[in-house]
């Protein structure tokens, strides 16, 4: 192909799969309207002024508009007291017109995110982070499941990736991606390993993986030489790289990214060195244009699910 990736490498396009998922949600919202039912409604709570968080929330609000889901935004200053956040969550829990509640993470220092997540009505917990929903996932029962891993599973299914009996490596053990992803892969009969910052001999372990899911938030940590030839690589990391010295290392095979970094002063990069990995992998998700878009589609799907279940 001349771009460093082999002719056999499939780029798993997050936009294609996100569009498909959003289309399904739109059709279901229209079917509700045809039966005289109100649209689903998502409430997004955003505290403070983290610019990345505002970009993500804008993406979610735009996806709501596209699918016909109502959205309400609660913007709170960074110094909001916990009691006030608790009160806002309680009011959204009690509001019969609100189906889904999403508290954008991370919360500013001084606010207890566990406490906020535990305060959300599990039936409205579209992030799937309430212990009741985590427990249902652990039991293999239906419930609201974290959007990023469930949308990744949806993409892998649509792509016909065989999971039964394969070796899957999940790099990262967060509540929102790593742990639930591992459980969902296990449910599909993959042999799952969870690796993390303390794992020994990580490159060798990665080289055994038929499916590698990277979710650590460390730009370009996974090198091309870590990938098993033909493996499926799902890159959940979304990192902004501004340091040209770091760029020279992780974009050695990617002059395009290096050029963007120089011109724009920064560039988005996954946890995987895309060009290096694409030369070895059978299929790989890009960043941007991969899992981030799927995550938003997953939020819409969960909001619909929460609405239908009421
Ligand atoms: N309670 C909660 N739930 C979340 O689901 C949640 C969260 N908090 N906090 C932050 C992370 C991150 N996240 C993303 C959503 C969309 C893109 C996305 O659309 N990314 C675009 C690029 C966006 C850009 O240009 O920055 C892409 O990958 O192509 C990325 C990341 C949701 N998160
Ligand atoms: Mg870790």
């Amino acid at each position: 192909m001349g771009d460093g990736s082999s002719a056999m490498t499939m780029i798993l396009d997050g936009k294609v799969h996100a569009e498909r998922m959003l289309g399904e949600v739109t059709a279901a919202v229209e079917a509700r309207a045809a039966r005289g039912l109100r649209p689903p409604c998502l409430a997004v709570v955003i505290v403070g002024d983290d610019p990345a968080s505002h970009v993500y929330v804008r993406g979610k609000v735009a996806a709501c508009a596209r699918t016909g889901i109502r959205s309400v935004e609660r913007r709170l200053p960074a110094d909001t007291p916990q009691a006030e956040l608790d009160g806002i969550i309680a009011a959204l829990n009690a509001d019969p017109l609100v189906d889904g509640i999403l508290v954008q993470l991370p919360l500013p220092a001084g606010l207890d995110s566990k406490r906020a997540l535990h305060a959300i009505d599990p039936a409205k917990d579209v992030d799937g982070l309430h212990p009741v929903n985590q427990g249902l996932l652990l039991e293999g029962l239906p419930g609201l499941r974290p959007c990023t891993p469930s949308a990744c599973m949806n993409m892998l299914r649509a792509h016909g990736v065989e999971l039964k009996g394969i070796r899957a490596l999940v790099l990262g053990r967060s509540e929102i991606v790593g742990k639930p992803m591992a459980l969902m892969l296990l449910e599909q009969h993959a042999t799952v390993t969870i690796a993390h910052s303390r794992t020994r001999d990580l490159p060798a372990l990665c080289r055994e993986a038929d499916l590698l899911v990277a979710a650590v938030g460390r730009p370009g940590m996974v090198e091309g030489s870590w990938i098993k030839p033909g493996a499926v690589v799902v890159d959940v990391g979304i990192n902004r790289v501004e340091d040209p010295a770091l760029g020279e290392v992780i974009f050695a095979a990617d002059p395009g990214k290096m050029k963007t970094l120089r011109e724009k002063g920064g560039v988005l990069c996954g946890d995987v060195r895309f060009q290096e990995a694409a030369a070895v992998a059978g299929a790989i998700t890009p960043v941007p244009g991969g899992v981030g878009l799927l995550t938003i589609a997953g939020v819409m799907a969960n909001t619909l699910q929460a609405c239908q279940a009421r």
Side-chain angles (χ1 to χ4, degrees):
M1 283 169 90
D3 60 356
S5 65
S6 97
M8 298 301 289
T9 306
M10 179 80 206
I11 306 302
L12 297 172
D13 187 334
K15 191 163 165 62
V16 167
H17 290 282
E19 289 295 320
R20 174 178 52 74
M21 290 177 69
L22 291 174
E24 288 168 12
V25 172
T26 307
V29 172
E30 283 168 359
R32 282 180 60 85
R35 288 188 289 144
L37 298 171
R38 63 168 179 80
C41 174
L42 172 68
V44 180
V45 180
I46 179 163
V47 189
D49 45 22
D50 176 49
S53 287
H54 280 270
V55 170
Y56 302 147
V57 168
R58 242 179 282 137
K60 286 165 192 170
V61 169
C64 282
R66 263 211 46 197
T67 50
I69 291 176
R70 274 186 61 222
S71 61
V72 293
E73 239 184 293
R74 293 273 181 278
R75 297 178 187 220
L76 308 171
D79 60 359
T80 300
Q82 184 89 38
E84 196 178 325
L85 179 59
D86 290 350
I88 284 160
I89 293 169
L92 294 171
N93 283 341
D95 187 339
L97 288 177
V98 170
D99 300 296
I101 303 169
L102 187 150
V103 176
Q104 185 71 20
L105 303 174
L107 289 172
L111 286 174
D112 182 344
S113 57
K114 278 265 147 94
R115 178 164 150 185
L117 295 172
H118 289 201
I120 296 172
D121 178 349
K124 298 188 178 189
D125 166 38
V126 290
D127 265 325
L129 293 174
H130 189 283
V132 165
N133 285 315
Q134 292 183 320
L136 289 170
L137 171 59
L138 197 68
E139 287 191 309
L141 292 174
L144 289 165
R145 295 178 168 196
C147 304
T148 302
S150 58
C152 288
M153 294 300 287
N154 183 310
M155 177 189 68
L156 293 171
R157 197 181 319 121
H159 221 268
V161 175
E162 174 69 81
L163 297 174
K164 200 187 297 176
I166 69 161
R167 290 187 185 212
L169 184 92
V170 178
L171 186 48
R173 51 178 156 174
S174 68
E175 303 276 307
I176 197 163
V177 182
K179 284 182 196 173
M181 186 81 209
L183 290 169
M184 290 179 208
L185 290 167
L186 191 59
E187 189 177 42
Q188 297 305 316
H189 315 293
T191 299
V192 182
T193 303
I194 304 177
H196 46 78
S197 48
R198 319 281 172 86
T199 298
R200 284 191 210 147
D201 304 326
L202 186 57
L205 197 62
C206 288
R207 264 179 232 118
E208 292 177 18
D210 303 302
L211 170 67
L212 194 154
V213 179
V216 280
R218 288 186 54 188
M221 177 184 174
V222 177
E223 303 175 20
S225 67
W226 298 18
I227 308 293
K228 178 177 178 174
V232 175
V233 178
V234 176
D235 190 352
V236 182
I238 299 184
N239 314 291
R240 194 176 153 80
V241 175
E242 293 175 354
D243 177 6
L246 176 63
E248 295 288 359
V249 175
I250 64 179
F251 302 136
D254 203 343
K257 280 260 177 173
M258 205 54 222
K259 186 161 176 277
T260 311
L261 194 165
R262 284 218 189 76
E263 285 171 2
K264 305 229 162 114
V267 64
L268 286 186
C269 175
D271 292 342
V272 178
R273 301 186 189 182
F274 179 81
Q275 286 296 339
E276 288 182 20
V280 187
I284 184 168
T285 62
V287 178
V291 171
L293 304 176
L294 289 172
T295 296
I296 291 186
V299 176
M300 300 304 118
N302 274 2
T303 304
L304 173 68
Q305 183 187 323
C307 177
Q308 307 282 48
R310 295 180 68 211

